[in-house]
Amino acid sequence: MANVIYSINGPVIKVRNTKDFSMMEMVYVGDNHLMGEVIAVNDSETTIQVYESTTGLKPNEPVVGTGDLLCATLGPGILRNIYDGIERPLKKIAEVDGAYIGAGSTFSAIDEEKLWDVKILVKVHDEVHEGMIFATCKETELIEHRSMIPLGVNGKVIEAKNDGQYNVNEVLIVVEDETGIKHDVCLKQKWPIRNPRPINRREPLNTPLITGQRVLDTLFPIAKGGAAAVPGGFGAGKTMLQHAVAKWCDADIIVYVGCGERGNEMTQVLEEFSELVDPKSNKPLLDRTVLIANTSNMPVAAREASIYTGITLAEYYRDMGYHVAIMADSTSRWAEALRELSGRLEEMPAEEGYPAYLPSRIAQFYERAGYVHTLSDSEGSVSIIGAVSPQGGDFSEPVTQNTKRFVRCFWALDKSLAYARHYAAINWNQSYSEYIDDLSRWYDKNVAFDFNDLRSLIVYILHEETQLMEIVKLIGSDVLPDDQKLLLEVARVIRVGYLQQNAFHPDDMYVPFEKQYKMLKVIQYLYEACKPLIAKHIPVSSILKTGIFEEVIKMKYDVPNNNIALLDTYFNKIDEALAKVE
Amino acid sequence: MSQAKIGLNEISGSLVALDDVENVSNEEVVEIQMANGSTRIGRVVQIEGKKAIIQVFEGTNGLSLKNCKTKLLGHPMEIPLSKEILGRIFNGSGKPIDGMGEVYAEKFEDINGKPLNPVSRQYPRNYINTGISAIDGLNTLIRGQKLPIFSGSGLPHDKLAVQIVRQAQIAEEDGVEFGIVFGAMGVKNDVADYFKRSFEETGVMEKVCMFINLSNDPIIERTLTPRCALTAAEYLAYECNMHILVILTDMTSYCEALREFSSSKGEIPGRKGYPGYLYSDLASLYERAGIVEGKKGSVTQIPILTMPNDDITHPVPDLTGYITEGQIVLDRDLHMNGVYPPIGVLASLSRLMKDGIGKGYTREDHKDVSNQLFASYAKVSDARSLASVIGEDELSPLDKQYLAFGKLFEEVFVGQGFNAKRSIQETLNLGWALLSTLPKDALDRLDNALIEANYDPEHAYKTIELAIKGE
């Protein structure tokens, strides 16, 4: 007997008296073949969440199982593409359906006609194992796609095609395993999105993901393979920061998940990334990017899936030996999708109506980050940067609190900094990074031996400033002794001249590590050079009159990124200016 | 295809249940005929086998289990559309109430709309000149943007909306027509009247399409009002090639209607009793602003909401802020000081501003001036809080200058009055004049070259005086 819809409640439908479906199986619902997933099975009813709008759906329409879990399609052609939460190609849908997304559009995620220039790396009689790279092709100008033997396939190659042009469905090699079963292997593969892809082993995290944003790289670095959370109320600049990191960080591949956010933002990413050029390779940034856009007005169930689709694509490229960074904007919308579906299932709510399994779901997601030794014996990483949108900017709400437990890097955005147009509005008192100790050896080796000391100095000055400002707020700064006034002035240089960055200035939107280090050196030199003057009872105000503080503040604009050596002249400038005071 | 039944099987709040219905589809419209001949409209919200749960828009007062006939219409909620809807007034569910008869429809459209494919969107870049400095200069409104006004009871948000409508030069050089769609949800009769009168006085009434649900009208109808308004706006924008400005007031009443309805359905509440899907529901409205690639028209949204108790962290303004592209926040202190429009500049934001200003759009120095004005004005509040502790006399000379700057900024730059209309040039020049009252060193967001070219303390006060006179 065919299975038919019994009840409909928003995106949740139920089928009665059937034992045909398995948990998490992907199904097609109704005459329009809407995509859905089985989320609960019991004796009398099977519950299915539908990833598309259920308007117009009727009872007694058919429900057909696919026998598969909800899978992502993997293969060349993913990069430069934009997908919805269940990996449907939005460009293709726009071509066929027009400006609005219709119900039941089914298109393959990757172009099945396109011919790729494939190089086959294995020959007949070779022993191959799962995860091994058997073919490569140039996916974009920037990225070589390395196709891997599907998981679960081990054995001997008995047939292999020669190098040449093939589409993704063409069988390139045939592998016979020990039991004599023959496996056809082509470029296109599938992977269930809710399962992490297997790895050889995890490696320690000791390389930073360099973002070119001074406040992140210097004060709160994230390691390659690490996870960071960016919480902030609306207008605090989460999206700005995510865009900046996606543009400039030194990952090989960027997966950008717009999860329940604004449509115009995704359009902007799409436009901007096709125009912007990667500083290292001079190729468009889009060549290394894949976008997943499940905007806030698209179906809520697909929003829940979008995070998993994104991380699966990220893991796939990691397994090829790439460093991948995934931006999830915003995980709160994903959590809300969980809450909404949980409400429809009439589950018992925990905090603020969120389901009790919220923390374990968040943990499962962030644990898919990591620096790994892959099955193909190379190294790759997935770093997760998840935005959190706490209601009312209140960090004590469940999503922020639970996220905090599973990430080691916390970039707290601050409304008052954002109001003063201090970009990046990262509050240095609330934020932290637990990766600092793991990364200090890298800094010693690759930046400079004294970088960690400089960092500590900056942290110390900012911390002291916060304490002093408590006093200043009460009685004004005039009563402070001069050495404390100097500290306040240096703290101002750090805040305005260093931490604050102009995302639109060509020389300030991205700052190489060398320049960051030298800028810190200049600020340290300024502080040290002023100290003896203060000891001689020269008032801070007369040092300020020389204008040297303002000059140091503006060095971020005055020294172009292609002439960093210019920063060395500042030591002289400081000496000269201070000599006049005496 | 339609089917009729006599009687109902259950009534609870605004929901009624029908048993033994065949072939009913989700979200289908139901017509309920009362014994006295009047009809009410409802919608299928849940189906359980042969039982359908129906939400009645006009409420269930006077309904019994047998005094009515129901008819399933076989399609989702639709409204009739044609270009004639301009100049007309409708109730919250799209029925004409101006006594001019039914609309001759060229097209029927589902009021829920469909999600717009992000690939088909065009990123909005052209700014709308509202003639209001605090908006044009610091929180620029872009065509295709959704920019809400966060207000409170007793603040002049309606007046501001009217001023924007009156002054906005939405009509473009290429001759694209402009129009206004006005959706009133749960507003008082006099507010609806004020808008109507203002539109008439401004002479734009024949360009306005109004959907009005007053505060004593049924709440279920209120949940449809913005959807009807936006469907009309989309039709005018994308089929009739017009630039449409949609004003929705008051979103807080809309959300309260949604809460009332949700609790009558027995749903699990989220924060402050609002349903857990409030974010998705609001997004399905706000995201209908924008520009579609290949179409001439655009939909710009200015939703107005009153923050209960002026609390910006209340779920309604909070979730709105997460969806919309910025917000204009009205400030009660400024209003008390007689500043009009009382726009709280620091809390306000326009996210699309950065790509719609500068060279080729407004003026090359726009970005820098606005950045510096924000930064300097942020320092004013620091100086003020210090002054309130230690007294103004004890402040450092720079802090005193900030206080003076702050006063001028609020009274002249922001408080331009209801009748002043400033061009973008005037706004930016005034911005420079205000900055010139501060010492050069204090301008830390500006390039030296820009300061050299525009910093001019000598003429600053003259420019400011002219602005005060409104010239």
Side-chain angles (χ1 to χ4, degrees):
Chain A
M1 192 193 89
N3 295 306
V4 294
I5 300 172
Y6 174 71
S7 76
I8 306 168
N9 178 8
V12 175
I13 66 151
K14 287 185 178 161
V15 179
R16 277 208 152 172
N17 299 327
T18 175
K19 297 204 163 112
D20 295 346
F21 298 107
S22 49
M23 260 312 257
M24 295 317 203
E25 181 179 344
M26 199 178 109
V27 294
Y28 289 113
V29 176
D31 297 331
N32 275 338
H33 288 277
L34 308 178
M35 246 207 227
E37 193 178 12
V38 178
I39 49 174
V41 181
N42 67 25
D43 252 7
S44 56
E45 291 179 333
T46 300
T47 311
I48 294 166
Q49 66 174 345
V50 182
Y51 288 122
E52 298 175 57
S53 157
T54 51
T55 301
L57 209 60
K58 292 177 182 174
N60 295 327
E61 284 190 27
V63 178
V64 186
T66 60
D68 264 336
L69 299 178
L70 182 63
C71 282
T73 306
L74 305 169
I78 291 175
L79 293 178
R80 296 186 66 95
N81 229 324
I82 175 165
Y83 296 110
D84 77 351
I86 41 177
E87 219 200 359
R88 291 188 301 173
L90 288 174
K91 278 184 191 160
K92 189 91 192 171
I93 291 179
E95 275 168 34
V96 179
D97 283 0
Y100 296 94
I101 300 173
S105 324
T106 41
F107 298 102
S108 167
I110 50 182
D111 191 339
E112 299 193 329
E113 322 265 277
K114 182 164 177 174
L115 295 176
W116 298 93
D117 249 326
V118 185
K119 229 186 232 150
I120 310 276
L121 305 179
V122 293
K123 322 182 282 295
V124 176
H125 302 312
D126 279 1
E127 285 284 342
V128 293
H129 60 83
E130 58 178 10
M132 195 172 134
I133 291 163
F134 72 92
T136 61
C137 61
K138 210 169 168 92
E139 183 170 0
T140 65
E141 291 287 308
L142 208 57
I143 300 295
E144 177 194 61
H145 192 97
R146 301 168 190 152
S147 297
M148 291 160 283
I149 304 275
L151 296 156
V153 177
N154 293 294
K156 221 177 218 156
V157 179
I158 54 168
E159 272 175 52
K161 290 249 164 72
N162 294 326
D163 295 358
Q165 294 204 318
Y166 303 104
N167 69 24
V168 291
N169 287 326
E170 183 104 22
V171 176
L172 298 178
I173 60 172
V174 178
V175 179
E176 189 180 57
D177 64 16
E178 281 173 359
T179 54
I181 298 171
K182 288 173 187 162
H183 300 271
D184 293 344
V185 180
C186 53
L187 293 177
K188 187 171 102 174
Q189 295 168 13
K190 297 223 168 216
W191 185 259
I193 59 169
R194 294 181 199 279
N195 300 351
R197 284 172 66 87
I199 51 169
N200 194 328
R201 60 170 185 274
R202 281 180 183 257
E203 300 280 349
L205 311 180
N206 48 25
T207 327
L209 183 77
I210 296 167
T211 61
Q213 312 297 307
R214 284 185 295 259
V215 59
L216 301 185
D217 287 349
T218 308
L219 290 184
F220 310 111
I222 173 179
K224 280 205 175 81
V230 193
F234 61 85
K238 288 182 301 297
T239 305
M240 280 271 282
L241 188 72
Q242 293 250 22
H243 282 194
V245 174
K247 277 180 211 161
W248 306 120
C249 78
D250 68 340
D252 303 311
I253 307 277
I254 304 290
V255 180
Y256 195 101
V257 186
C259 171
E261 288 288 313
R262 306 174 184 88
N264 276 336
E265 267 168 15
M266 295 315 289
T267 316
Q268 186 196 1
V269 175
L270 201 61
E271 274 184 24
E272 234 180 300
F273 279 41
S274 355
E275 285 162 18
L276 278 174
V277 166
D278 177 36
K280 287 168 301 237
S281 58
N282 276 328
K283 297 282 174 351
L285 284 173
L286 204 58
D287 275 359
R288 62 163 193 177
T289 309
V290 52
L291 300 172
I292 296 180
N294 213 89
T295 55
S296 52
N297 55 344
M298 285 156 81
V300 69
R303 191 193 301 165
E304 193 263 335
S306 65
I307 290 269
Y308 297 106
T309 306
I311 195 94
T312 304
L313 297 184
E315 285 177 341
Y316 177 63
Y317 280 93
R318 173 201 69 193
D319 290 347
M320 294 179 202
Y322 288 116
H323 294 292
V324 187
I326 169 169
M327 319 285 146
D329 186 11
S330 135
T331 56
S332 293
R333 304 297 160 232
W334 167 72
E336 274 166 17
L338 279 181
R339 171 167 74 182
E340 193 173 330
L341 293 167
S342 158
R344 303 258 187 205
L345 298 174
E346 290 165 10
E347 292 170 339
M348 183 72 89
E351 270 178 289
E352 291 197 15
Y354 286 105
Y357 48 75
L358 176 73
S360 56
R361 291 287 173 86
I362 292 178
Q364 278 166 13
F365 170 64
Y366 282 106
E367 275 305 296
R368 287 174 82 168
Y371 197 104
V372 305
H373 195 87
T374 65
L375 293 175
S376 62
D377 268 329
S378 54
E379 291 198 341
S381 69
V382 172
S383 318
I384 301 179
I385 297 166
V388 183
S389 321
Q391 291 213 327
D394 170 16
F395 288 177
S396 66
E397 56 92 45
V399 181
T400 317
Q401 280 310 312
N402 286 315
T403 304
K404 236 176 154 172
R405 288 163 52 206
F406 306 116
V407 299
R408 293 178 64 204
C409 199
F410 191 72
W411 299 332
L413 294 177
D414 189 317
K415 218 166 198 172
S416 56
L417 288 175
Y419 281 0
R421 301 309 190 253
H422 175 113
Y423 171 84
I426 293 178
N427 181 311
W428 45 89
N429 292 318
Q430 285 180 7
S431 307
Y432 60 83
S433 165
E434 293 175 20
Y435 296 113
I436 292 201
D437 293 339
D438 304 339
L439 298 175
S440 58
R441 284 195 49 198
W442 186 92
Y443 286 125
D444 275 348
K445 232 172 100 188
N446 294 287
V447 188
F449 66 93
D450 59 346
F451 184 83
N452 291 306
D453 300 337
L454 282 174
R455 185 185 174 279
S456 311
L457 177 75
I458 299 288
V459 173
Y460 164 77
I461 294 175
L462 288 173
H463 181 71
E464 284 294 298
E465 187 205 20
T466 314
Q467 310 247 312
L468 288 176
M469 283 315 275
E470 297 287 315
I471 304 174
V472 172
K473 268 186 199 144
L474 286 179
I475 52 173
S477 62
D478 282 352
V479 292
L480 291 180
D482 267 322
D483 58 335
Q484 293 187 341
K485 277 190 197 158
L486 174 69
L487 189 131
L488 286 185
E489 285 303 324
V490 175
R492 189 172 69 91
V493 173
I494 295 172
R495 276 190 291 113
V496 183
Y498 192 79
L499 297 183
Q500 186 184 315
Q501 202 158 339
N502 186 337
F504 305 108
H505 194 285
D507 282 315
D508 206 36
M509 50 170 78
Y510 166 83
V511 185
F513 229 115
E514 195 192 345
K515 185 172 169 190
Q516 298 191 21
Y517 168 67
K518 285 208 166 149
M519 284 172 75
L520 285 179
K521 280 296 259 191
V522 171
I523 294 171
Q524 182 204 26
Y525 190 81
L526 177 69
Y527 187 36
E528 294 301 331
C530 289
K531 270 187 188 166
L533 300 185
I534 301 294
K536 282 187 215 159
H537 301 293
I538 294 171
V540 171
S541 51
S542 45
I543 303 179
L544 286 180
K545 272 188 199 131
T546 60
I548 186 65
F549 276 72
E550 306 306 321
E551 192 159 354
V552 171
I553 285 176
K554 290 199 171 158
M555 69 184 162
K556 58 181 173 182
Y557 302 133
D558 294 341
V559 178
N561 283 346
N562 55 17
N563 189 7
I564 296 171
L566 205 60
L567 277 169
D568 294 331
T569 62
Y570 277 78
F571 300 112
N572 263 331
K573 280 189 193 167
I574 293 172
D575 285 340
E576 282 168 23
L578 295 184
K580 280 182 214 150
V581 179
E582 282 170 291
Chain B
M1 181 207 60
S2 61
Q3 44 179 322
K5 278 186 80 68
I6 294 177
L8 300 167
N9 297 82
E10 215 180 300
I11 304 177
S12 148
S14 62
L15 299 177
V16 299
L18 268 185
D19 285 351
D20 280 332
V21 283
E22 301 273 350
N23 213 11
V24 55
S25 65
N26 197 17
E27 312 243 328
E28 178 172 347
V29 179
V30 182
E31 206 174 82
I32 302 169
Q33 267 172 6
M34 309 281 292
N36 63 7
S38 66
T39 58
R40 296 184 188 182
I41 302 285
R43 179 177 62 175
V44 177
V45 287
Q46 198 177 335
I47 305 168
E48 192 85 35
K50 287 188 171 176
K51 178 176 173 183
I53 314 269
I54 296 159
Q55 158 195 5
V56 184
F57 299 142
E58 286 93 340
T60 47
N61 290 355
L63 225 58
S64 84
L65 294 183
K66 25 176 216 202
N67 69 352
C68 58
K69 259 201 291 191
T70 49
K71 200 167 147 193
L72 291 152
L73 298 183
H75 60 76
M77 179 78 190
E78 288 173 337
I79 56 168
L81 293 167
S82 82
K83 222 179 160 178
E84 286 170 37
I85 58 174
L86 285 172
R88 301 290 305 271
I89 303 175
F90 303 89
N91 75 359
S93 51
K95 281 188 194 153
I97 48 171
D98 52 3
M100 286 158 70
E102 294 287 323
V103 170
Y104 178 74
E106 282 183 8
K107 198 172 178 180
F108 284 88
E109 201 68 65
D110 179 0
I111 62 161
N112 290 306
K114 274 190 263 174
L116 186 56
N117 191 331
V119 174
S120 307
R121 275 181 191 271
Q122 196 184 330
Y123 190 65
R125 285 184 193 279
N126 292 320
Y127 90 114
I128 295 176
N129 187 2
T130 64
I132 298 167
S133 291
I135 296 180
D136 289 352
L138 302 174
N139 298 292
T140 318
L141 176 65
I142 307 288
R143 185 174 298 131
Q145 187 174 18
K146 36 193 180 294
L147 190 65
I149 298 176
F150 284 14
S151 181
S153 322
L155 292 178
H157 42 267
D158 298 330
K159 208 168 154 189
L160 180 62
V162 165
Q163 190 178 4
I164 292 175
V165 166
R166 197 185 58 207
Q167 297 185 347
Q169 290 169 344
I170 304 196
E172 220 184 356
E173 315 81 61
D174 57 12
V176 178
E177 282 183 88
F178 88 99
I180 295 158
V181 173
F182 178 78
M185 289 91 69
V187 298
K188 287 187 290 291
N189 194 26
D190 11 337
V191 173
D193 232 37
Y194 170 74
F195 274 101
K196 206 170 124 192
R197 221 174 38 243
S198 307
F199 291 147
E200 275 163 5
E201 280 166 13
T202 323
V204 292
M205 195 56 206
E206 76 277 13
K207 295 273 184 201
V208 183
C209 171
M210 298 177 95
F211 291 85
I212 292 180
N213 169 279
L214 297 176
S215 50
N216 54 354
D217 286 340
I219 58 132
I220 300 299
E221 189 185 281
R222 196 167 301 156
T223 61
L224 300 180
T225 313
R227 294 191 164 80
C228 292
L230 287 164
T231 307
E234 281 172 354
Y235 172 80
L236 293 171
Y238 305 136
E239 315 247 331
C240 306
N241 295 325
M242 295 173 77
H243 288 311
I244 299 294
L245 182 68
V246 184
I247 295 176
L248 299 171
T249 181
D250 166 350
M251 291 308 290
T252 310
S253 307
Y254 167 81
C255 294
E256 271 159 11
L258 208 64
R259 172 167 71 180
E260 198 177 328
F261 170 59
S262 160
S263 71
S264 75
K265 273 206 289 184
E267 290 172 337
I268 295 169
R271 216 161 131 238
K272 288 208 174 170
Y274 288 96
Y277 52 79
L278 184 61
Y279 176 85
S280 302
D281 190 274
L282 284 174
S284 71
L285 300 176
Y286 295 140
E287 279 288 321
R288 290 172 81 174
I291 308 178
V292 175
E293 207 153 63
K295 307 269 168 135
K296 274 193 190 148
S298 66
V299 177
T300 310
Q301 271 190 36
I302 302 188
I304 298 172
L305 57 91
T306 47
M307 299 182 278
N309 200 19
D310 289 354
D311 177 12
I312 200 168
T313 64
H314 183 275
V316 178
D318 192 54
L319 294 178
T320 299
Y322 276 122
I323 306 163
T324 53
E325 283 138 350
Q327 67 276 340
I328 302 286
V329 183
L330 300 191
D331 185 317
R332 200 170 289 278
D333 286 340
L334 286 179
H335 180 61
M336 293 300 179
N337 290 339
V339 172
Y340 175 87
I343 295 176
V345 165
L346 291 182
S348 303
L349 169 75
S350 164
R351 290 168 192 269
L352 299 185
M353 171 176 175
K354 58 186 193 302
D355 298 303
I357 61 168
K359 205 173 176 182
Y361 299 104
T362 53
R363 206 169 88 176
E364 205 171 354
D365 57 345
H366 190 158
K367 238 173 246 184
D368 299 292
V369 176
S370 67
N371 238 328
Q372 183 64 58
L373 281 170
F374 271 120
S376 301
Y377 186 57
K379 291 202 179 115
V380 173
S381 39
D382 290 345
R384 276 187 190 154
S385 53
L386 190 56
S388 68
V389 179
I390 60 172
E392 232 172 88
D393 291 346
E394 299 295 314
L395 289 180
S396 69
L398 181 62
D399 279 341
K400 281 184 190 155
Q401 273 174 307
Y402 272 124
L403 284 189
F405 166 81
K407 199 163 157 14
L408 280 176
F409 181 82
E410 284 167 5
E411 286 173 5
V412 183
F413 191 85
V414 176
Q416 64 184 84
F418 185 60
N419 292 313
K421 179 179 174 184
R422 293 189 188 140
S423 71
I424 189 72
Q425 303 288 343
E426 284 170 320
T427 295
L428 293 180
N429 290 344
L430 183 59
W432 273 112
L434 286 173
L435 290 177
S436 301
T437 64
L438 290 171
K440 241 186 217 182
D441 295 347
L443 308 181
D444 51 7
R445 304 291 169 97
L446 296 171
D447 256 312
N448 284 330
L450 265 180
I451 296 183
E452 288 313 316
N454 296 289
Y455 185 77
D456 185 5
E458 282 175 29
H459 293 92
Y461 286 96
K462 207 168 160 206
T463 317
I464 294 170
E465 259 169 48
L466 282 177
I468 293 173
K469 280 190 212 140
E471 284 169 27

